[in-house]
Amino acid sequence: MKSEECETLLASHDIKPTANRIVVARTLAAAERPMSLSELEYKILSIDKSGIFRTLTLFREHHLVHVLEDGGDGVRYELCHSHDHHREDDDQHVHFYCEHCHRTFCLADTPIPHVTLPDGYEALSTNYMVKGLCPECRKGTR
């Protein structure tokens, strides 16, 4: 994603496009799967951990990132594809956590199944994580 595209994306979510925010957005856009804070810190050497975290918090408040439990002991971040800051994300999908290599994968074409809640319950978000072995670990190639 080019800087100009990032600026447009940030502006569409009412986020001022600063240099740091553009760097974080570009890094997330280039990622093949959701990234942890430590992975982002490793990839972005020009911004300290607290700066990255503040940016991610702002992105979450403006519905620009999904925050998901990674299946281990942390959280991961990925750009939302709905690009609508006025409502919750409509691009939620299943994620897969490999218990061997500890990577988290987006299964973008696998929608989260509908869950009917009992009366009185209100769902605010859904985080659907399947755990197991990824194809590489299953074959023993990783």
Side-chain angles (χ1 to χ4, degrees):
M1 180 180 284
K2 296 178 182 177
S3 292
E4 299 81 28
E5 293 172 303
C6 282
E7 288 179 32
T8 302
L9 177 62
L10 293 171
S12 72
H13 284 266
D14 293 333
I15 299 172
K16 182 179 177 183
T18 65
N20 285 358
R21 293 171 186 168
I22 291 169
V23 169
V24 173
R26 286 182 74 184
T27 303
L28 287 170
E32 294 178 5
R33 61 186 154 270
M35 297 182 75
S36 68
L37 179 59
S38 60
E39 289 171 328
L40 285 164
E41 184 181 18
Y42 178 77
K43 287 266 191 195
I44 305 171
L45 301 176
S46 60
I47 308 171
D48 65 12
K49 186 177 192 171
S50 63
I52 296 170
F53 183 76
R54 283 192 306 273
T55 299
L56 292 170
T57 300
L58 178 70
F59 285 4
R60 182 179 189 180
E61 291 168 357
H62 288 261
H63 306 291
L64 182 58
V65 294
H66 290 296
V67 180
L68 55 119
E69 296 174 18
D70 71 0
D73 58 356
V75 296
R76 295 189 178 266
Y77 304 87
E78 68 178 335
L79 280 181
C80 297
H81 300 289
S82 64
H83 304 307
D84 186 347
H85 70 284
H86 294 295
R87 60 189 167 98
E88 289 298 319
D89 310 309
D90 61 1
D91 69 332
Q92 291 188 358
H93 50 272
V94 173
H95 292 88
F96 185 90
Y97 175 77
C98 180
E99 294 181 331
H100 183 263
C101 66
H102 308 287
R103 294 182 297 169
T104 302
F105 301 87
C106 293
L107 303 180
D109 294 332
T110 306
I112 292 176
H114 175 73
V115 176
T116 303
L117 298 174
D119 287 341
Y121 291 88
E122 177 186 5
L124 299 177
S125 67
T126 304
N127 183 359
Y128 199 87
M129 180 70 67
V130 178
K131 297 179 183 181
L133 297 176
C134 71
E136 290 178 27
C137 290
R138 196 165 165 245
K139 290 179 189 173
T141 59
R142 182 162 174 95

